[in-house]
Amino acid sequence: MPPGELWTIGELAGRAGVTVKTVRFYSDRGLLPAAHRSAGGHRRYGPGALDRLHTIRSLRAFGLGVAEIARVLREDGGGPDALPVGGALEAAVAGRLREVGSRLAALRWQQTALRLLHDCDPAERAERLRLLGAVCATQAPPGTAAMARFWRRWLPPRMPAPVAARVVDIAVPQPPDDPTPEQALAFARLHAFVSAECTGGGSGQPAAHRAGSGHRPAVLYQGLEEAYDLAAPHLRAGRAPHAGEALDCFVAAYAASLRVADTGAFRRGLHGVLAADPRIDRYWDLVALVTGPDRPTPGAAHAWLTAALA
């Protein structure tokens, strides 16, 4: 391009409506390469640099960092006339969507928490402040790490890692992006419940978790997941506990984990064991408030099946 058709850094800045400092900043970082250098070493830019500068400013307006913009522009050849259309731009936009979605969810949680604090009786405010303050962060929606730790302590130590991970995935509710006041308060109470110091020791574990019980935990929990799925439609329909496929699957999980046959005597003995097992009904009651009535909890399914066994 002949030198007469090139712009100085000031001319480019004026055409783009930005400061010279801005153009120099992007040039120094390799986002806006000069087309030519004058005899005195001054940068000169062609008309394509104006399009490139507009592109950079647009990407910055959406919150992309300089390093991300560099990757986007580099993928498209790095020339001043190249416009970003490839996978790097798609990945950058997807990443920003996730970040913005997370921030919006965090803001919705804060908004709901503030309403709960504003609208409650003054006598409740101190407790709610403590509960909600423990889960409402400024930059992210509430996390579930405390609940995952609770379940990893609750499960038998010899549980295979993939099965334990599946149990945790099923048992730990995800916080809704736009919670109702009831959901937000239930989630905060759930977090407080699992974060409280456990004083029950080993005696608080179900019989199937105890050393020497003979159970194969992986077999048991894989079978229980299927039984809970079969019981869920009955729970949603409000049906009373009864015999059927769900109960047979439930009993079969325990029988298979012990390598014994499903007999009447086994069922009578199993009912006695399950009736005596410790329960964490408070946990499941709070989970039900978080997830809603259309998603019966494993705890509710277990209680329904135990009642059906009786």
Side-chain angles (χ1 to χ4, degrees):
M1 180 181 294
E5 297 184 29
L6 298 177
W7 300 327
T8 66
I9 192 170
E11 290 170 334
L12 176 60
R15 290 173 181 270
V18 300
T19 65
V20 169
K21 183 179 179 180
T22 297
V23 177
R24 185 173 288 116
F25 174 83
Y26 292 136
S27 294
D28 290 344
R29 281 153 183 78
L31 303 184
L32 193 66
H36 181 73
R37 288 266 183 176
S38 69
H42 298 294
R43 295 166 175 149
R44 296 290 185 265
Y45 299 89
L50 182 60
D51 290 334
R52 170 61 64 89
L53 189 52
H54 286 319
T55 297
I56 293 169
R57 295 190 68 202
S58 295
L59 294 172
R60 290 290 286 163
F62 285 108
L64 272 66
V66 170
E68 286 181 299
I69 293 173
R71 284 194 295 271
V72 170
L73 298 178
R74 189 163 53 245
E75 180 185 77
D76 289 281
D81 299 321
L83 295 176
V85 294
L89 176 61
E90 184 178 354
V93 169
R96 286 296 296 155
L97 278 172
R98 288 191 296 271
E99 292 172 18
V100 170
S102 180
R103 288 210 308 271
L104 286 173
L107 288 172
R108 284 191 287 263
W109 270 87
Q110 284 196 341
Q111 182 183 45
T112 302
L114 288 168
R115 284 176 178 162
L116 283 165
L117 290 172
H118 181 270
D119 298 340
C120 72
D121 188 278
E124 298 178 282
R125 197 157 288 143
E127 181 196 17
R128 288 193 175 186
L129 180 62
R130 175 181 58 82
L131 289 171
L132 294 164
V135 298
C136 290
T138 57
Q139 296 296 324
T144 58
M147 294 173 213
R149 286 194 298 270
F150 171 86
W151 278 99
R152 292 190 183 282
R153 291 193 304 266
W154 176 259
L155 292 171
R158 60 192 184 278
M159 177 78 80
V163 181
R166 177 61 182 164
V167 173
V168 170
D169 186 55
I170 293 170
V172 173
Q174 294 302 308
D177 287 340
D178 190 6
T180 65
E182 182 182 53
Q183 286 176 312
L185 195 54
F187 191 91
R189 286 176 172 152
L190 190 59
H191 182 272
F193 177 83
V194 300
S195 301
E197 184 177 355
C198 180
T199 58
S203 61
Q205 295 294 304
H209 291 192
R210 297 170 199 157
S213 67
H215 282 276
R216 294 180 292 167
V219 174
L220 174 61
Y221 275 88
Q222 288 169 328
L224 288 178
E225 180 182 355
E226 182 180 356
Y228 296 161
D229 286 343
L230 290 171
H234 301 294
L235 285 160
R236 284 193 291 267
R239 300 188 186 104
H242 59 272
E245 183 183 12
L247 178 59
D248 290 343
C249 185
F250 181 66
V251 174
Y254 281 96
S257 74
L258 288 167
R259 298 187 179 91
V260 299
D262 176 4
T263 65
F266 175 75
R267 291 195 175 207
R268 288 190 293 273
L270 177 61
H271 176 261
V273 170
L274 295 180
D277 267 346
R279 299 168 65 96
I280 49 174
D281 291 338
R282 175 63 172 164
Y283 179 92
W284 294 118
D285 289 344
L286 291 169
V287 170
L289 292 175
V290 173
T291 58
D294 291 335
R295 297 180 58 188
T297 68
H302 189 90
W304 189 92
L305 290 162
T306 301
L309 184 61

